[in-house]
Amino acid sequence: MIKQAVQDSNYSVDEMGKVYSRFGWEMNGSKNSAGYKQIFTYNEGKKTGSYLVHRMVWEAFNGPVPEGYVVDHINRDNSDNRLENLRILTKQQNGLNNGKKGYSKVKDRWIVKMKQHGINKYFGTFKLEEEAAAKAAVVREEYFNSLVSQNQYK
């Protein structure tokens, strides 16, 4: 299914994350410095804007992204703009899904600590990095899932 882009009526998008010009041509776009695919739009030969493809796809099928929310790539592949790979999260939820470790080495020990609701929380000290990594993964998953379950836009 193809829908008109909200950002510019001269463009449309499909569920596979492809963008089309008003003439039906598939637009290739380019990757920005963060690795997100973007499209530069033109009208009568003049550049009128640039738009992130994942936002174009989300908004065409689901409406505007509410303030304080972002469009997240579920599989963390910024170039995979298929509708089924996109979801809306708060900025805090998205930050938990960024793949950061949540643990660090201090002297001869590994410490697991993360910020939750703006407060630094301590989750333990471990001799082995593998133990710290496992604990951090559990904490991230539990906290992320609790936030997502509260997300009215999931």
Side-chain angles (χ1 to χ4, degrees):
M1 174 188 294
I2 295 177
K3 291 209 168 196
Q4 187 174 43
V6 173
Q7 294 82 355
D8 188 320
S9 61
N10 289 313
Y11 297 85
S12 56
V13 297
D14 68 15
E15 295 173 68
M16 296 306 293
K18 295 179 181 174
V19 179
Y20 302 93
S21 73
R22 66 181 173 167
F23 304 109
W25 301 327
E26 185 178 335
M27 308 294 292
N28 289 328
S30 61
K31 284 189 178 181
N32 68 13
S33 60
Y36 294 103
K37 191 172 181 182
Q38 62 185 357
I39 297 294
F40 294 101
T41 57
Y42 297 86
N43 191 3
E44 297 180 11
K46 293 182 182 178
K47 184 176 172 184
T48 56
S50 66
Y51 303 102
L52 297 170
V53 172
H54 64 287
R55 285 190 67 104
M56 292 177 78
V57 172
W58 179 267
E59 291 182 353
F61 287 91
N62 297 291
V65 176
E67 190 173 330
Y69 286 80
V70 296
V71 178
D72 176 56
H73 292 84
I74 296 169
N75 67 5
R76 293 195 210 144
D77 178 354
N78 294 349
S79 64
D80 184 354
N81 295 308
R82 294 173 297 126
L83 183 59
E84 68 184 34
N85 186 48
L86 303 176
R87 63 181 167 193
I88 194 164
L89 297 176
T90 65
K91 291 177 182 179
Q92 182 183 26
Q93 291 165 335
N94 192 48
L96 289 171
N97 192 39
N98 66 8
K100 289 185 180 174
K101 296 188 305 186
Y103 63 94
S104 58
K105 189 169 187 179
V106 177
K107 297 185 182 179
D108 62 340
R109 302 280 181 173
W110 293 89
I111 295 178
V112 178
K113 63 180 179 178
M114 294 179 210
K115 191 174 276 193
Q116 295 183 345
H117 301 292
I119 300 169
N120 282 320
K121 292 193 176 180
Y122 168 80
F123 296 98
T125 302
F126 302 88
K127 288 183 179 182
L128 301 175
E129 181 180 8
E130 294 79 17
E131 295 171 326
K135 178 65 175 180
V138 168
V139 170
R140 267 195 322 270
E141 187 69 21
E142 287 174 355
Y143 186 56
F144 178 76
N145 287 341
S146 74
L147 289 173
V148 170
S149 69
Q150 299 167 24
N151 185 348
Q152 63 180 329
Y153 296 102
K154 59 183 170 178

